[in-house]
């Protein structure tokens, strides 16, 4: 099947190249060839899924990553659980993108279409070669088929691992389409603004899923790895974030090209770099170059990636240099106080942070080559330098909408800045005065290990970083509110002049509907603002390690936590039916009652699971109580059978939930920006069905991802680590000592 | 688009819709009646047939005579570079008007940019009129010839139009 994919891709490539001459029949043939190639890849992924579902352990990949006890959802998730399958999954997504792109291009960009198809076919061929010669998911076991498979890594048997990799892959693979367009535009010399505007939605779609994928990865790390945080600057986490930075830069700089005919070279470079970084990220994860908790097994596929990355760099550079005369800007930045200058600084900051993170990620390998010594840079290093750049980008995010194109007159400047500045001053003052009382002081002492003036500057900045961030959260929120206010006011004013006055809601809806890109973008900014609020919470997080016996209590994050008793499943009569029936692992729980103001609010059951398979691998199941102000996050330490004493790590994580709220808002904003601009009345039957299906599929995907954030409680409930109280079951849970069931004994 | 062309395009759309509906109904029947694994097999089989069909169509398309089908004709009617530019300029004018309404563009900048956009739009419209006139007449003649061939009794009307 993979040979067939390779042959079909090579054939379609040839037809596409032949179609550059402009013959319509040959182009049609190339299109059909591309569709055929995509269908063959679809056959391959369906056949592998069938092998998983029917437990066909003759296939080595199936026997390595599944066993008979796994449910169908995890069997499907195992498709991307290992290296070979994840490459086929990548190819499948690329096939879907290719088919969608070829369909979308009908009636558009006829000159570019053959080269777009050819570029996508080369990428598909690369993955086909990779699978055929280095990581074949269909390779059979040399010996006879095993009775049962080895099963999926327990850490990957998690709800988030079903949705996180596909979301991230959708983002990664989506960057191939803008790259194919960039190559086509450079080769044909058709370097006007139209193709940049055309591919903007493709990049926005990929960016949306990069954002979702990265945040789902944070959720997985937060809930499954049990170290209390959500981002550890792990090499693979960093690799997933790198294309996000350049894609974000592109989404902004493309607006300058559209408006001012500037930054043409820059935009092409950003597209090429973003695509390169997606391949580089895949290479980092799979080559075994850098050690990480996320890495796949070390293999020999690295050399294939190196050649492919070399090809991307050589092709992109050669084409850009060749077309440099056509890429000259037709205007330039006229004033510092203009939107384009804010965008340019924002772009440089985003690229700067990308270079910094990429450098830090590969630094251990670089130091090994240069100094014969592996020097690893950890989270403190990344936090110290990424925070100032991140806050600069956050500031620019608020400034840019306030500035006009070309230049901003002093009058317009005053009008735009009065309200956001007033709000910022108010927020900063309130934080200074009341922050400490709320457990979120404005200044948090920071002790950098760097000496001298640089160390003092870093210490000073990092100490004030929480205050600066909260102030900027206020500023950005005020800017967005003001933009909506001005828009609604302008709309209502023109409606009144027409004699058709509108109410507030109607104006808001019509305002957004008529300017989806602009106001969708503002909503995305609002989501990012909420996420920054979540990030800054880490400055006030607390961690306490306690050793407790049943009946003892500890205070954290505004809660009182009482250790009720240990519980081992299967075995203990207190275990649920599902826990009793699960013989694949030994589950050691510590049941904890959580009280707020003396009222029992939840029972948490952090646990350690020891699996029978995989050399008795152990996983940590976190006890988590979410809140908009703070999360209570409890990890159970090592346990021994029959032991009453429990070692608990109790974390108070303020404002973390705002990150998850932020990504939901971001998804909503991006969906508004992506919404098609055609009315259904203008479409034919088939097009209407297609559009409805696409909208329904997107909405379903968004609902699944959105609801996944809210069903965490249910997911954890299934794993036995958290039990939320409902009114009906509050009463029977009497507090220790048998007093009032809702009050804690002193 | 003229009446017969619309009808033919709609007929093609209905055919596609019927095929997709048939596959969805068959899939539901298999999922309900049998099991997920059988449905996967059926899906793989259908996809394989589709792949073979598409690749075969791709190979045979090159060798076919140059008579353009209705689908290809619709596809060939893709906007030209000038038409795409016209759309971009109109979008620019709309954006500029909006920014002016919000008070984000000074009156001087607005006038300057609007003048530039209008000049460009005027040039584009003139070019499009000139370049499309001969093609439009040719298209009308071809449609008349085609109609005369399909329905010999109907008199050609395009030439009088």
């Amino acid at each position: 099947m993979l040979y067939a994919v390779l042959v079909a891709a090579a054939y379609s490539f040839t037809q596409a190249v032949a179609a550059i001459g402009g013959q319509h029949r040959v182009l049609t043939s190339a299109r059909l060839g591309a569709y055929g190639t995509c269908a063959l890849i679809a056959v391959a992924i369906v056949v592998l899924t069938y092998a998983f579902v029917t437990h066909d352990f003759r296939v080595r990949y199936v026997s390595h990553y599944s066993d008979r006890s796994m449910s169908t959802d995890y069997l499907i998730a195992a498709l991307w659980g290992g290296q070979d399958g994840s490459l086929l999954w990548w190819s499948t997504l690329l096939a879907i993108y290719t088919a969608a792109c070829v369909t979308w291009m009908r009636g558009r960009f006829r000159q570019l279409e053959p080269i777009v198809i050819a570029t996508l076919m080369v990428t598909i061929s690369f993955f086909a070669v990779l699978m055929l010669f280095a990581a074949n998911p269909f390779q059979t076991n040399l010996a006879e088929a095993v009775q049962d498979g080895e099963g999926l890594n327990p850490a990957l048997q998690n709800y988030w691992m079903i949705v996180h990799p596909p979301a991230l892959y959708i983002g990664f693979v989506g960057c191939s389409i803008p790259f194919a367009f960039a190559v086509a535009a450079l080769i044909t010399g058709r370097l006007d603004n139209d193709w940049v505007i055309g591919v903007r939605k493709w990049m926005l779609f990929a960016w949306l899923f990069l954002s979702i994928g990265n945040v789902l990865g944070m959720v997985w790390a937060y809930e499954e790895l049990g170290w209390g945080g959500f981002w550890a600057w792990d090499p693979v986490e960093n690799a997933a974030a790198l294309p996000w930075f350049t894609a974000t830069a592109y989404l902004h700089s493309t607006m300058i090209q559209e408006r001012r005919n500037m930054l043409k070279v820059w935009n092409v470079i950003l597209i090429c770099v973003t695509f390169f970084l997606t391949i580089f990220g895949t290479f980092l994860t799979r080559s075994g170059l850098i050690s990480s908790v996320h890495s796949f097994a070390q293999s020999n596929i690295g050399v294939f990636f190196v050649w492919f990355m070399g090809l991307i760099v050589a092709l992109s550079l050669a084409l850009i240099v060749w077309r440099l005369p056509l890429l000259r800007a037709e205007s330039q930045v006229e004033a510092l106080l203009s939107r384009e200058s804010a965008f340019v600084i924002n772009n440089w900051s985003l690229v700067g942070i990308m270079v910094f993170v990429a450098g830090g990620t590969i630094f251990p390998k670089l130091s090994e080559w240069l100094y014969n010594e592996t020097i690893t840079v950890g989270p403190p290093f990344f936090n110290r330098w990424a925070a100032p750049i991140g806050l600069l980008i956050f500031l620019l995010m608020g400034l840019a909408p306030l500035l006009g194109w070309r230049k901003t007159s002093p009058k317009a400047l005053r009008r735009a800045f009065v309200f956001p500045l007033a709000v910022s001053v108010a927020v900063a003052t309130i934080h200074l005065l009341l922050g400490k009382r709320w457990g979120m002081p404005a200044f948090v002492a920071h002790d950098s290990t760097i000496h001298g003036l640089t160390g003092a500057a870093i210490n000073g900045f990092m100490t004030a970083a929480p205050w600066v961030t909260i102030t900027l959260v206020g500023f950005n929120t005020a800017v967005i509110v003001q933009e909506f206010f001005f828009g609604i006011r302008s709309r209502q004013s023109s409606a009144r002049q027409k004699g058709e006055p509108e109410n507030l809601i109607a104006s808001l809806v019509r305002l957004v509907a008529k300017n989806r890109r602009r106001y969708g973008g503002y909503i995305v900014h609002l989501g990012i603002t909420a996420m920054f609020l979540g990030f800054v919470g880490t400055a006030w997080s607390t961690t306490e390690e306690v050793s407790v016996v049943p009946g003892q209590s500890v205070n954290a994050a505004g809660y009182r936590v009482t250790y009720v008793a240990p519980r081992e499943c299967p075995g203990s009569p207190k275990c649920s039916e599902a826990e009793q029936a699960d013989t694949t692992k030994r589950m050691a729980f510590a049941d904890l009652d959580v009280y707020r103001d003396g009222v029992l609010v939840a029972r948490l059951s952090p646990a350690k699971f020891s699996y029978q398979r995989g050399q008795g691998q152990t996983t940590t199941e976190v006890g988590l109580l979410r809140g908009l102000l703070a999360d209570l996050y409890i990890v159970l330490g090592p346990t021994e059978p029959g032991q009453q004493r429990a070692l608990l790590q109790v974390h108070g994580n303020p404002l973390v939930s705002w990150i998850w709220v932020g990504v939901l808002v971001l998804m909503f904003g991006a969906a508004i920006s992506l919404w098609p601009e055609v009315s259904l009345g203008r479409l034919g039957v088939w097009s209407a069905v297609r559009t409805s299906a696409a909208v329904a599929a997107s909405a379903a995907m968004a609902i699944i991802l959105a609801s996944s954030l809210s069903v965490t409680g249910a997911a954890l409930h299934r794993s036995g680590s958290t039990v939320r109280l409902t009114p009906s079951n509050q009463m029977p849970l009497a507090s220790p000592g048998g007093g009032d069931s809702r009050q804690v004994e002193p | 688009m003229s009446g017969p062309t619309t009808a033919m395009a709609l007929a093609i759309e209905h055919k596609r819709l019927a095929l997709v509906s048939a596959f969805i109904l068959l899939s539901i029947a298999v999922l309900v009646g049998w099991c997920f694994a059988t449905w996967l097999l059926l899906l793989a089989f259908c996809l394989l047939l589709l792949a073979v069909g598409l690749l075969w169509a791709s190979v045979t398309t090159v060798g076919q005579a140059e008579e353009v089908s209705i689908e290809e004709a619709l596809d060939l009617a893709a906007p030209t570079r000038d038409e795409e530019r016209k759309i971009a300029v109109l979008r620019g004018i709309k954006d500029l008007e909006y920014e002016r309404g919000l008070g984000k563009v000074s009156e001087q900048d607005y006038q300057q940019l609007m003048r530039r956009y209008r000049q460009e739009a005027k040039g584009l419209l003139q070019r499009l009129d000139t370049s499309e006139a001969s093609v439009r007449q040719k298209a009308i003649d071809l449609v008349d010839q085609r109609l005369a061939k399909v329905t010999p009794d109907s008199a050609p009307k395009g030439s009088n139009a």
Side-chain angles (χ1 to χ4, degrees), chain A residues 202-219:
Chain A
W202 288 96
M203 188 63 106
L204 182 59
F205 186 78
W207 177 88
L208 168 65
F209 277 89
L210 278 175
S211 310
I212 294 170
N214 274 303
V215 172
L216 289 176
M218 287 186 204
V219 181

Side-chain angles (χ1 to χ4, degrees), chain B residues 97-138:
Chain B
E97 292 279 7
Y98 183 76
E99 294 249 319
R100 186 202 192 192
L102 291 181
K104 292 209 171 171
V105 187
S106 69
E107 193 56 31
Q108 187 194 353
D109 285 344
Y110 168 78
Q111 295 295 349
Q112 197 182 343
L113 279 170
M114 190 53 94
R115 208 166 29 246
R116 207 185 77 193
Y117 278 138
R118 282 196 174 138
Q119 269 173 359
E120 195 177 351
K122 202 172 149 190
L124 282 166
L125 289 172
Q126 277 171 350
R127 271 211 303 278
L128 283 169
D129 269 353
T130 317
S131 63
E132 281 178 359
S134 60
V135 182
R136 196 180 294 121
Q137 188 53 50
K138 195 176 168 188

Side-chain angles (χ1 to χ4, degrees), chain A residues 269-511:
Chain A
I269 289 174
L270 280 179
I271 290 176
C272 296
V273 170
T274 304
F275 178 66
F276 173 84
L277 288 172
T278 62
I279 302 294
F280 177 69
T282 317
F283 162 71
L284 265 191
T285 328
R286 287 165 176 78
S287 63
L289 185 75
I290 306 274
S291 59
S292 155
V293 290
H294 297 70
S295 300
F296 292 100
Q298 193 154 2
S299 72
N300 60 345
I301 65 169
V303 67
F304 290 86
F305 273 100
V306 170
W307 278 105
F308 190 55
M309 287 190 293
L311 176 70
I312 296 167
V313 172
L315 179 73
S316 308
L317 270 180
L319 287 173
I320 290 169
V321 171
W322 178 40
R323 292 297 190 188
L324 218 45
L326 290 176
L327 289 165
R328 285 212 184 94
E330 289 170 27
S331 50
Q332 55 188 4
V333 175
E334 291 172 23
L336 184 65
L337 286 175
S338 63
R339 195 175 295 183
E340 48 269 50
S341 79
F343 278 1
V344 168
I345 302 170
N346 153 296
N347 262 240
W348 277 106
S349 309
L350 283 162
V351 171
I353 202 167
M354 183 277 287
V355 171
F356 164 73
V357 174
T361 307
I362 58 169
F363 192 71
K365 213 66 197 169
L366 282 179
S367 64
E368 202 178 300
W369 288 332
L370 293 173
Y371 311 115
N372 239 354
E373 184 186 1
T374 306
I375 303 170
T376 311
V377 289
F381 170 81
F382 281 106
N383 286 334
R384 193 183 304 139
W385 296 104
I389 310 175
L391 285 178
L392 174 65
I393 295 167
F394 193 38
L395 170 68
L396 289 165
M397 190 180 96
L399 282 180
L402 299 178
L403 302 172
W405 292 102
R406 297 160 73 93
K407 59 179 183 280
T408 316
S409 66
K411 189 182 159 195
L413 213 57
R414 266 196 306 278
R415 180 174 172 265
F417 273 86
V418 167
F419 175 66
L421 280 181
V423 171
S424 308
V425 171
V427 169
T429 312
I430 292 169
H431 190 204
L432 266 177
L433 297 175
L434 301 174
K436 203 165 186 179
R437 189 185 296 177
W438 294 338
M440 300 173 196
F443 301 103
V444 179
H446 182 83
D447 189 18
S448 164
T449 49
I450 299 172
H451 302 290
L453 199 62
T454 314
I458 290 170
N459 277 343
F461 180 81
M462 292 303 281
T463 301
W467 185 59
V468 174
T469 311
I470 292 291
T471 306
L472 288 178
V473 166
F475 177 71
N476 273 286
T477 310
V479 167
I480 296 158
V481 169
Q482 178 176 275
E483 286 299 307
F484 273 92
F485 172 74
F486 281 167
I488 290 170
R489 199 177 58 178
S490 161
R491 204 184 152 80
Q492 289 192 321
S493 157
S494 75
R496 267 197 305 275
Q497 280 171 8
K498 285 180 196 163
E500 299 162 355
E502 284 176 354
N503 64 37
L504 186 72
I505 302 295
S507 289
L508 177 67
V509 171
R510 284 174 193 154
L511 177 79

Side-chain angles (χ1 to χ4, degrees), chain A residues 11 15 24-25 28-29 31-33 35-36 39-40 42-43 46 49-50 53-54 72 76 106-107 109-110 190 192 194 197 258-259 339 401 404-407 415 483 486-487 490 511 514-515 518-519 522 684-687 689, chain B residues 10 13-14 16-17 20 36-37 40-41 43-44 47-48 50-51 54-55 57-59 61-62 64-68 71-72 75-76 78-79 81 84-85 88 91 94-96 98-99 101-104 108-109 112-113 116-117:
Chain A
Y11 161 77
Q15 293 297 85
H24 181 70
R25 288 276 171 206
T28 306
S29 170
R31 272 186 204 142
L32 290 167
Y35 284 133
L40 282 174
V43 176
V46 173
T49 314
Y50 178 77
V53 171
T54 55
T72 307
I76 293 171
R106 297 191 74 155
F109 306 110
R110 277 186 54 79
R190 197 185 152 170
D192 45 43
D194 304 332
I197 298 164
E258 193 181 331
R259 280 307 196 89
R339 195 175 295 183
W405 292 102
R406 297 160 73 93
K407 59 179 183 280
R415 180 174 172 265
E483 286 299 307
F486 281 167
S490 161
L511 177 79
K514 292 269 180 195
N515 303 277
R518 177 192 296 265
Y519 289 97
Y522 287 151
V685 185
W686 174 244
S687 307
V689 169
Chain B
L10 281 176
E13 288 191 348
H14 283 131
R16 283 179 180 172
L17 192 61
V20 172
F36 184 52
L40 283 173
L41 264 189
L43 183 65
L47 285 168
L48 191 60
L50 182 70
L54 285 165
L55 290 169
S58 168
V59 173
T61 302
V62 186
Q64 280 174 7
E66 268 299 317
E67 193 179 336
V68 179
E71 275 185 295
E72 288 165 344
D75 184 34
L76 280 167
R81 192 173 172 163
E84 280 171 13
R85 187 68 209 140
R91 195 191 298 128
K94 188 183 151 198
D95 274 2
L96 191 62
Y98 183 76
E99 294 249 319
L102 291 181
K104 292 209 171 171
Q108 187 194 353
D109 285 344
Q112 197 182 343
L113 279 170
R116 207 185 77 193
Y117 278 138

